Amino acid sequence: MTQPRVVAICGSLRTESYTRKALAIAVEEAAAAGAETDLIDLREFDLPVFDADADDAGDADPLRERVARADSVLLGTPVYHGSYSSVLKTALDYCGFDEFENTTVGLCCVSGGGFPVTSLDHLRSVCRSLNAWVIPHQAALPKARTKFDGDDLADEGDTDRVRTLGRRAVEYANIEPDPACIESTENVGATD
C-alpha cells in the first residue's frame, strides 16, 4: 500500500476557529499514522457562491486539484442553524464525483450549543450522494468554547474521538468501495 493522502477541509472562516483546531488535531494523528496530509483553509480561497455556469470561478480549480489527490477527506464544520456552514457547502458545490467518488470521508463538527449531530447527518447525506465511503466514526464537539485549552482539547475523551477520526482516515483510506448507493445513482452527474 502506498502512503495514503489525507486532506482536511475546514468549513470555518473564523480566525480562532475551533473547527480548524479540531481538524489540526485529526490531521496530526493522520500524519502520525503514516499519511501525507493537507489542511485546506477555505479562508485562503476565493470561492464565490456556486454558479453552474461558472464552475471554474475563483480558486475552484486549485481546490478541486487538492481534494482529488486525496485518498481520504476530513470535512470539518461549525454548526449553523442545525446544519453545516455555507462556506463548506460552497466548497463542496465546486467539487463532485471526480473528487469524492470512492473516496473515504471523515466528519467532524463543533457547536456552540449542545447538539451538533444534525450537521453531521447532513454532511453524511451529501457524501453518500457523491458515492463517497463515509467513516462510521464521527467527531462532535458540543459547547466548543469549553473544550479547548489553547490549540489542544482539554478533555481526554474529546481528544480520543478527534484523534480516532484521523487514524480511521488512514486505516480506511484504501478501503474497497461499496457498490454505488441509490443516492449517488440518482444524483445528477452520476457516472453510472
Side-chain angles (χ1 to χ4, degrees), residues 3-186:
Q3 181 183 31
R5 181 172 176 80
V6 176
V7 172
I9 303 174
C10 181
S12 174
L13 300 180
R14 292 183 70 168
T15 302
E16 291 297 317
S17 166
Y18 296 124
T19 303
R20 193 174 303 102
K21 290 178 181 185
L23 282 177
I25 293 167
V27 164
E28 178 183 293
E29 188 68 19
E36 177 186 344
T37 61
D38 180 10
L39 177 55
I40 294 175
D41 187 342
L42 293 175
R43 294 179 304 169
E44 299 170 1
F45 286 78
D46 171 27
L47 294 174
V49 172
F50 183 72
D51 175 354
D53 290 331
D55 67 350
D56 62 348
D59 293 327
D61 288 338
L63 172 69
R64 283 193 291 258
E65 289 167 10
R66 286 171 69 179
V67 175
R69 290 195 312 262
D71 297 298
S72 289
V73 177
L74 298 175
L75 299 177
T77 186
V79 175
Y80 289 121
H81 306 300
S83 192
Y84 59 99
S85 70
S86 61
V87 68
L88 183 57
K89 172 70 170 131
T90 298
L92 293 173
D93 285 346
Y94 279 104
C95 295
F97 282 94
D98 289 343
E99 293 76 27
F100 280 96
E101 187 169 31
N102 298 325
T103 299
T104 299
V105 176
L107 306 176
C108 177
C109 79
V110 300
S111 172
F115 194 71
V117 177
T118 306
S119 58
L120 293 169
D121 291 341
H122 293 173
L123 280 173
R124 188 170 296 274
S125 292
V126 168
C127 293
R128 287 179 53 83
S129 74
L130 294 171
N131 208 35
W133 189 84
V134 185
I135 298 169
H137 176 80
Q138 56 191 19
L141 297 170
K143 300 180 181 170
R145 68 188 170 283
T146 68
K147 299 289 183 177
F148 286 87
D149 180 11
D151 290 338
D152 298 318
L153 284 161
D155 179 77
E156 186 177 324
D158 291 332
T159 302
D160 187 45
R161 277 188 291 282
V162 173
R163 288 197 177 281
T164 296
L165 185 65
R167 281 194 311 277
R168 296 294 182 261
V170 176
E171 291 169 9
Y172 295 117
N174 294 307
I175 192 168
E176 184 176 329
D178 292 331
C181 63
I182 191 67
E183 298 95 310
S184 69
T185 60
E186 293 297 317

